[in-house]
């Protein structure tokens, strides 16, 4: 290969390579733009209002998709999202039943029947400024509880009344 | 280029043919290359003959389609979310500002380049009807005119989508001009708007037109436009090459037993079939890889230009659309400003009689211009030899009139863009007519 | 050329302006609270989305430690935390009100100039101390205008002394004798109920206007000497003292249509 020819070859390779690299960069930029940098979703930490609004037993909050379970002064929050394919489970007498594919969970969220592969997770509760906060982004075991300093009162309209939870 | 017959060499054989035979086979074997002719005259390929403006237009359309699809994933066509989603594209989407800027610049460039393409075709007389069987260039000129109108329509419908003050009022003014059309004007405007004012139905209509209906129509017409070029025997300048070859052939008769390539044997008026002389063969070159190679180079240059400008020039986004507050002045998109300027110039009173400028300037003048352009190939009586030649002496007068009209449009556009301030009064571009006013 | 553009675009995308601000915050936190706390400064683009109000505020991307409480209360911006105000946490949690509802500015923006609203085509800039100084006010006084967009029907609101006085003045001088305000009054003078919606560009400033062209400056001048701005006006010239003109101007500018979801409507404090 002569000197001139190899020079030509190099220039051509550079040009073709540059074109490929530039084109690839554009395709990458277009694809990357579709990966969201911010999410239009409610925050994972949600205010649930005063602990006193939750009576003894199980209260379903449909917006947060959780059951708030009170036993005396002890409050816990159980996820209502089925571990099978994500439908919302409903409270039954002895536990929770998923309407989609018939999974059963007992009162502690343990999967006892149907296709659900794991127990329902629990979410940690905390108190801030007199309001109950649930952290939907964290999963804990059933033993994590919150001692409510206030005993339940007879039901009354909650503060402000968040959209959807009555 | 390395020789040998490795896997890649075989894979790219049709793209990088090494012999004339492989070149002509490429056109048959490769679906992407079949649009190209087997042979093309060297003069058709030259940058000066056409400026490759049609190719540039197509490439701009491709860039617009690619960036447009990306933007479709990010944009929400609702009056509540449209403006905010464009803000998101500007502020939080990775490369969003760049993609939007590139799309916008490519759109503006496409209007410019398509008009320049028309200018080139006119000045070279490339729309002229000629005798070759199957060739009918005036038809392709008409298809091109429709594509020009489609380009304006695509740009105009996209103008509304950011749903800011600029968009809202430009479309209000633009559609009001449509209402000046006789008999059906108001109905036409309301059909466009999906109501009596610019609102959610308008946004949705413009969105569907911009992203689906008009691009689809454009794709079909571009395909037809390009197929017609082949059908008409290539660029008009190719006919001149064939003439020259024929003249030469008359002097020196063709060598006996000369055959031509398979692809030349199509029925109709292709250059190759019209004359299969050695002279013509010297004046031509295999279409593949010459055309795809140059086309790719043009595409890369266009993409690079759009990307640079898209990166450097921030696409504007004014305040959210506010039907209660009209910016002063409210201007149509720049490519319609010559019309808006005409409308304002042609509205005047003679005694009690008010001349309706919006009909004259908005409908009559552009309608006449389009009509004249459409009819011109049939009215142009210059000889066939003038086709494909820049500024042919036989077309001196019509070229001058054409350029004068074009110049008038350009001047009116410049006046409308830079010299019109509040109340459409004459303003110098350097006068700061609008100091920024804020609430606090 | 294509390669150069691509590199430039990637460069710009890799180093957005807000990252510098986050670095600043991290440096300030490291200096004041130690490097291990600096690691806790939230990174990346963040936003507060308030679905019910259809607002999104990205201020916390740069002001990343706004909720860190007293330990950063006197730190320099952008690391300074929000001052503790009794009615803030209980009644106006940031998660439900965001930032720009009270402070102004452009919530969607992620560059400082754009976010603080110091750009063309953004009419409601940040109600900050710099801007307030131009009127001889404190930032919190300027912000009372924002407070009153919701608290418009209350005569007395805690933390709004300037506008409480202005409301008392409106009552005492019986402005509704000529004007109509929220459906009450007469038509001798313009209806003021939605004066705050008048677009800033719709104000005409007289020749030789020295102040910045803002709606607020216009109203302050107008309250002091109405006839200077509107020569044939019927409005009397009140002898306003101190900050009365500022307070009244902020009050009228706060009057605009405000569609609030039920839970955002202020409960009357009386």
């Amino acid at each position: 290969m002569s000197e001139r020819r190899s020079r030509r070859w190099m220039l051509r390779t550079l040009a073709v390579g540059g074109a490929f690299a530039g084109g690839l960069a554009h395709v990458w930029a277009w694809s990357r733009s579709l990966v969201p940098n911010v999410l239009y979703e409610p925050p994972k930490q949600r205010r649930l209002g005063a602990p006193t609004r939750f009576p003894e037993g199980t209260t379903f909050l449909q917006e947060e998709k959780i059951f708030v379970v009170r036993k005396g002064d002890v409050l816990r929050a159980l996820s209502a999202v089925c571990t099978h394919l994500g439908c919302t489970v409903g409270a039954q007498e002895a536990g929770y039943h998923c309407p989609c594919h018939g999974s059963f969970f007992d009162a502690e969220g343990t999967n006892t029947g149907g296709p659900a592969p794991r127990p329902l997770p629990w979410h940690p509760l905390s108190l801030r400024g007199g309001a109950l906060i649930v952290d939907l982004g964290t999963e804990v075991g059933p033993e994590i509880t919150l001692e409510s300093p206030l005993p339940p009162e007879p039901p009354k309209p909650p503060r402000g009344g968040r959209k959807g939870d009555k | 280029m390395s020789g040998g017959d490795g896997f890649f060499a075989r894979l790219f054989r049709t793209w990088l043919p090494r012999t004339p035979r492989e070149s002509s086979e490429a056109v048959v074997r490769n679906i992407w290359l079949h649009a190209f002719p087997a042979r093309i005259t060297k003069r058709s390929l030259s940058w000066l003959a056409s400026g490759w403006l049609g190719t540039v237009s197509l490439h701009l359309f491709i860039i617009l389609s690619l960036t447009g699809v990306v933007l479709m994933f990010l944009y929400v066509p609702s009056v509540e979310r449209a403006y905010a989603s464009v803000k998101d594209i500007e502020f939080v989407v990775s490369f969003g500002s760049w993609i939007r800027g590139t799309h916008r610049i490519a759109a503006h460039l496409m209007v410019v380049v398509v008009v320049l393409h028309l200018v080139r075709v006119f000045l070279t007389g490339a729309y002229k009807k000629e005798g070759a069987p199957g060739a009918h260039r005036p038809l392709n000129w008409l298809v091109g005119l429709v594509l020009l109108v489609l380009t304006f329509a695509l740009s105009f419908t996209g103008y509304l989508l950011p749903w800011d003050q600029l968009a809202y009022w430009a479309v209000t003014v633009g559609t009001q001009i449509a209402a000046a059309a006789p008999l059906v004007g108001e109905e036409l405007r309301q059909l466009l708007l999906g109501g009596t004012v610019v609102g959610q139905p308008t946004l949705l209509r413009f969105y569907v037109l911009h992203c689906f209906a008009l691009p689809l129509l454009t794709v079909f017409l571009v395909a037809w436009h390009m197929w017609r070029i082949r059908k008409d025997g290539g660029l008009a300048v190719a006919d001149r090459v064939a003439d020259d070859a024929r003249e030469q052939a008359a002097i020196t008769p063709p060598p006996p037993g000369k055959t031509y390539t398979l692809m030349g044997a199509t029925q109709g008026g292709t250059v190759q079939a019209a004359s299969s002389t050695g002279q013509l063969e010297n004046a031509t070159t295999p279409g593949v890889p010459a055309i795809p190679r140059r086309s790719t180079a043009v595409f890369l240059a266009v993409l690079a230009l759009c990307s640079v400008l898209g990166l450097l020039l921030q696409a504007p986004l004014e305040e959210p659309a506010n039907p209660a507050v009209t910016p002063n002045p409210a201007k149509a998109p720049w490519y319609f400003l010559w019309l808006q300027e005409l409308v304002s110039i042609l509205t005047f009173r003679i005694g009690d009689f008010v001349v309706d400028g919006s009909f004259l300037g908005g409908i009559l003048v552009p309608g006449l211009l389009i009509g004249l352009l459409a009819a011109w190939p049939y009215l142009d009586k210059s000889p066939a030899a003038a086709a494909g030649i820049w500024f042919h002496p036989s077309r001196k007068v019509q070229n001058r009139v054409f350029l004068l009209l074009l110049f008038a449009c350009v001047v009116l556009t410049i006046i409308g863009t830079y010299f019109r301030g509040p109340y459409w009064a004459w303003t110098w571009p350097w006068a700061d007519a609008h100091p920024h006013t804020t609430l606090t | 050329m294509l390669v150069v553009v691509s590199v430039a675009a990637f460069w710009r995308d890799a180093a957005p302006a807000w990252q510098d601000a986050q670095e600043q915050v991290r440096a300030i936190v490291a200096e004041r609270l130690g490097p291990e706390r600096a690691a806790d400064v939230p990174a990346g683009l963040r936003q507060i989305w308030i679905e019910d109000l259809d607002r999104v505020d990205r201020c916390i991307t740069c002001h990343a430690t706004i909720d860190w409480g007293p330990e950063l209360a006197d730190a320099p911006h952008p690391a300074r935390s929000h001052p503790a105000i009794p009615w803030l946490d209980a009644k106006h949690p940031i998660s439900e009100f965001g930032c720009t509802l009270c402070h102004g500015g452009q919530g969607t923006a992620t560059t400082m100039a754009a976010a603080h609203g110091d750009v063309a085509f953004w009419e409601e800039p940040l109600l900050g101390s710099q801007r307030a100084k131009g009127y001889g006010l404190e930032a919190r006084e300027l912000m009372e205008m924002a407070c009153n967009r919701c608290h418009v029907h209350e005569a007395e609101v805690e933390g709004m002394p300037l506008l409480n006085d202005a409301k008392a003045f409106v009552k005492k001088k019986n402005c509704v004798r000529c004007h109509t305000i929220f459906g009450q009054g007469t038509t001798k003078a313009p209806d003021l109920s939605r004066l705050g919606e008048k677009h800033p560009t719709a104000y005409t400033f007289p020749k030789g206007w020295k102040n910045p062209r803002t709606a607020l400056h216009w109203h302050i001048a107008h309250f002091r000497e109405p006839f200077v701005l509107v020569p044939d006006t019927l409005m009397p010239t009140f002898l306003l003292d101190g900050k009365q003109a500022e307070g009244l101007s902020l009050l009228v500018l706060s009057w605009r249509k405000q569609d609030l979801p039920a839970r955002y409507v202020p409960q009357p404090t009386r």
Side-chain angles (χ1 to χ4, degrees):
Chain A
M1 210 177 263
S2 72
E3 189 72 11
R4 249 186 87 144
R5 187 142 168 236
S6 83
R7 221 179 99 121
R8 252 186 91 116
W9 180 84
M10 201 182 78
L11 279 174
R12 168 174 274 183
T13 310
L14 269 180
V16 173
F20 260 101
L24 214 61
H26 278 76
V27 173
W28 165 259
W30 296 336
S31 315
R32 176 64 186 83
S33 74
L34 301 182
V35 180
N37 291 330
V38 291
L39 296 178
Y40 285 88
E41 288 170 13
K44 294 291 179 205
Q45 296 211 350
R46 311 270 196 99
R47 291 159 71 94
L48 304 179
T52 48
R53 62 178 281 216
F54 299 103
E56 187 73 19
T58 301
T59 311
F60 176 54
L61 300 179
Q62 66 176 18
E63 201 179 344
E64 285 80 8
K65 289 187 186 168
I66 53 168
F67 299 101
V68 177
V69 184
R70 178 192 277 278
K71 204 177 268 176
D73 282 351
V74 178
L75 282 169
R76 291 186 295 167
L78 179 67
S79 165
V81 181
C82 182
T83 52
H84 178 218
L85 293 174
C87 296
T88 306
V89 301
Q92 302 252 309
E93 254 170 55
Y96 305 93
H97 185 202
C98 182
C100 290
H101 307 99
S103 295
F104 273 105
F105 304 89
D106 68 10
E108 289 300 295
T110 312
N111 47 326
T112 51
R118 287 182 306 280
L120 293 172
W122 295 77
H123 296 301
L125 287 170
S126 56
L127 270 174
R128 199 185 303 157
L132 209 53
I133 310 273
V134 66
D135 183 1
L136 298 177
T138 312
E139 295 183 357
V140 294
E143 67 286 352
I144 304 297
T145 59
L146 179 77
E147 293 278 337
S148 166
L150 304 163
E153 283 171 11
K156 63 169 186 181
R159 181 199 69 84
R162 285 178 70 99
K163 194 175 68 182
D165 55 27
K166 286 274 141 47
Chain B
M1 298 275 98
S2 63
D5 272 298
F7 174 70
F8 282 102
R10 262 178 288 146
L11 192 65
F12 291 108
R13 169 71 47 80
T14 52
W15 290 99
L16 300 166
R18 286 168 300 180
T19 63
R21 185 191 157 84
E22 281 181 8
S23 284
S24 59
E25 280 177 356
V27 180
V28 189
R29 284 193 180 168
N30 188 316
I31 183 169
W32 307 111
L33 300 177
H34 86 281
F36 299 119
R39 294 190 75 81
I40 182 165
T41 62
K42 288 172 185 164
R43 266 176 76 184
S44 296
L45 277 177
S46 93
W47 303 109
L48 284 176
S50 66
W52 285 67
L53 292 165
T55 311
V56 173
S57 309
L58 175 64
H59 290 336
L60 284 167
F61 182 72
I62 292 171
I63 292 168
L64 283 162
S65 305
L66 292 172
T67 51
V69 167
V70 174
L71 291 170
M72 272 175 86
F73 283 117
L74 302 166
Y75 169 80
V76 188
S78 93
V79 293
E80 288 89 9
R81 291 286 307 140
Y83 181 77
S85 66
V86 179
K87 281 274 183 205
D88 283 2
I89 292 171
E90 286 293 322
F91 283 124
V92 290
V93 171
S94 297
F95 306 107
S97 170
W98 184 35
I99 295 169
R100 179 167 172 257
T102 306
H103 189 78
R104 167 191 171 249
I105 281 296
H108 286 327
L109 282 180
M110 188 167 158
V111 171
V112 173
V113 172
V114 167
V115 169
L116 287 178
H117 181 49
L118 175 130
V119 171
R120 189 283 288 176
V121 171
F122 190 96
L123 294 181
T124 55
Y127 52 71
K128 289 184 66 58
K129 181 162 169 40
E130 293 198 72
H136 190 74
R137 290 213 172 90
L139 177 60
N140 214 13
W141 167 260
L142 291 179
V143 176
L145 277 183
V146 177
L147 280 168
L148 171 75
V149 174
L150 273 178
T151 305
F152 284 132
L154 272 166
S155 192
F156 184 62
T157 48
Y159 213 82
L160 179 68
L161 302 187
W163 203 248
D164 61 348
Q165 280 289 73
L166 189 69
Y168 185 91
W169 291 100
V171 168
T172 301
V173 170
T175 50
Q176 202 70 48
I177 290 177
L183 302 176
V184 293
E186 184 53 31
E187 283 73 15
L188 187 70
R189 189 181 80 95
Q190 293 193 12
L191 188 68
L192 265 176
L193 298 187
T196 57
V197 291
V198 178
Q200 174 65 60
T202 320
L203 183 59
L204 196 56
R205 271 161 206 233
F206 274 49
Y207 178 73
V208 174
L209 284 173
H210 184 74
C211 302
F212 177 72
L214 296 176
L216 192 71
L217 202 56
T218 306
V219 166
F220 276 115
L221 284 179
V222 164
W224 191 19
H225 200 58
M226 305 203 5
W227 180 77
R228 282 295 333 167
I229 299 174
R230 295 288 312 280
K231 201 70 187 155
D232 292 338
L235 303 187
V237 70
D239 293 356
R240 302 289 75 74
V241 180
D243 287 350
D244 295 347
R246 228 176 273 122
E247 273 170 34
Q248 287 287 317
I251 301 163
T252 50
K258 179 76 186 173
T259 54
Y260 202 64
T261 56
L262 174 72
M263 289 311 294
T266 49
Q267 187 231 334
T270 60
V271 174
Q272 296 83 347
S275 171
S276 57
T277 62
Q279 281 81 5
L280 185 56
E281 196 158 0
N282 286 338
T284 62
T285 182
V288 176
I291 308 177
R293 191 177 280 167
R294 290 203 183 197
S295 183
T296 306
V298 170
F299 179 79
L300 291 170
V302 171
L303 180 63
L305 182 70
C306 292
S307 302
V308 169
L309 294 177
L311 196 65
L312 296 180
L313 304 176
Q314 181 89 26
L317 185 62
E318 299 193 349
E319 305 99 318
N322 185 350
V325 178
T326 312
N328 186 3
K331 290 188 179 183
W334 64 266
Y335 41 84
F336 286 154
L337 281 181
W338 59 284
L339 288 176
Q340 201 179 345
E341 185 64 30
L342 270 179
V343 167
S344 96
I345 291 174
L346 295 178
T347 305
F348 53 88
R349 303 175 72 100
I350 307 168
D352 284 344
F353 183 69
V354 180
V355 177
D356 180 8
S358 56
F359 174 67
L360 284 179
I363 301 293
L364 198 64
V365 171
L368 273 178
L369 283 181
I370 290 277
L372 205 58
L373 281 174
W376 200 249
Y378 302 96
L379 302 174
D380 182 358
K381 295 289 179 236
S382 58
I389 309 290
W390 282 93
F391 305 107
H392 194 274
S394 68
R395 306 183 64 247
K396 203 184 225 169
V397 177
Q398 51 175 307
N399 276 344
R400 282 186 182 169
V401 172
F402 176 82
L403 283 175
L404 203 68
L405 285 174
L406 182 75
F407 182 70
C409 290
V410 172
V411 167
L412 287 176
T413 304
I414 290 173
I415 290 175
T417 308
Y418 296 110
F419 293 89
R420 289 299 181 183
Y423 307 104
W424 208 252
W426 185 274
T427 316
W428 297 106
W430 49 88
D432 187 12
H434 261 301
H436 184 45
T437 313
T438 55
L439 185 67
T440 57
Chain C
M1 179 142 142
L2 201 64
V3 175
V4 172
V5 190
S6 307
V7 169
F10 275 72
W11 185 270
R12 197 171 72 167
D13 190 73
W18 50 263
Q19 255 173 17
D20 300 343
Q22 280 183 357
E23 282 306 317
Q24 265 181 327
V25 172
R26 230 165 268 135
I28 294 166
V29 171
E31 187 196 313
R32 294 188 160 231
L33 308 172
E36 58 284 351
R37 296 294 306 282
D40 295 341
V41 175
L45 270 174
R46 294 200 307 148
Q47 68 178 17
I48 300 169
W49 177 52
I50 311 146
E51 191 179 12
D52 290 350
L53 299 177
D54 193 20
R55 298 181 77 94
V56 58
D57 283 340
R58 306 199 166 112
C59 318
I60 56 168
T61 298
C62 298
H63 299 278
T65 53
I66 198 75
D67 56 350
W68 280 32
E71 48 190 9
L72 288 174
D74 57 346
H77 286 305
R80 188 180 296 176
S81 64
H82 200 282
I85 303 168
W87 39 261
L88 184 79
D89 242 7
K91 291 184 174 172
H92 302 81
I94 293 178
S95 60
E96 281 164 47
F97 284 78
C99 316
T100 53
L101 198 63
C102 307
H103 289 275
Q106 185 177 190
T108 52
T110 52
T111 63
M112 187 165 130
H116 292 186
D118 302 323
V119 285
F121 306 122
W122 195 260
E123 264 76 38
E124 298 192 25
L126 187 72
L127 303 171
S129 43
Q130 205 61 31
R131 199 164 294 272
K133 216 173 276 170
Y135 300 97
L137 295 172
E138 299 282 330
R140 63 185 155 76
E141 290 173 315
L142 201 55
M143 280 170 59
E144 287 183 28
M145 174 178 67
C147 304
N148 201 54
R149 285 187 190 145
C150 302
H151 292 283
V152 60
H153 294 301
E154 292 152 273
E156 283 267 345
V157 183
E158 188 193 346
M160 291 172 49
L162 197 62
L163 260 60
N164 288 342
D165 285 353
K167 286 174 178 179
F169 185 89
V170 169
K171 203 166 185 180
K172 193 175 106 202
K173 295 287 176 190
N174 201 17
C175 299
V176 290
R177 210 222 290 260
C178 299
H179 292 282
T180 298
I181 305 172
F182 302 121
Q184 288 184 355
T186 67
T187 53
K188 279 182 211 146
D191 187 333
L192 302 180
S193 310
R194 285 163 75 167
L195 192 56
E197 287 171 28
K198 182 169 171 178
H199 201 261
T201 51
Y203 288 91
T204 27
F205 294 92
K207 281 216 162 69
W209 180 262
K210 292 270 179 350
N211 286 319
R213 289 166 174 263
T214 70
L216 183 55
H217 268 303
W218 190 94
H219 278 292
I220 292 171
H222 180 256
F223 268 114
R224 291 221 173 96
E225 294 168 314
F227 57 90
V228 173
L229 290 166
V230 187
D232 53 351
T233 186
L234 294 175
M235 181 140 151
T237 304
F238 301 100
L239 294 171
L240 300 172
D241 59 13
K243 291 176 176 171
Q244 270 179 328
E246 280 89 343
L248 286 165
S249 304
L250 289 170
L251 179 68
V252 295
L253 283 178
S254 75
W255 287 340
R256 54 165 74 174
K257 189 169 155 241
Q258 191 84 321
D259 289 325
L260 290 177
R263 72 187 176 104
Y264 283 93
V265 175
Q267 312 283 322
T269 45
R270 276 161 284 153

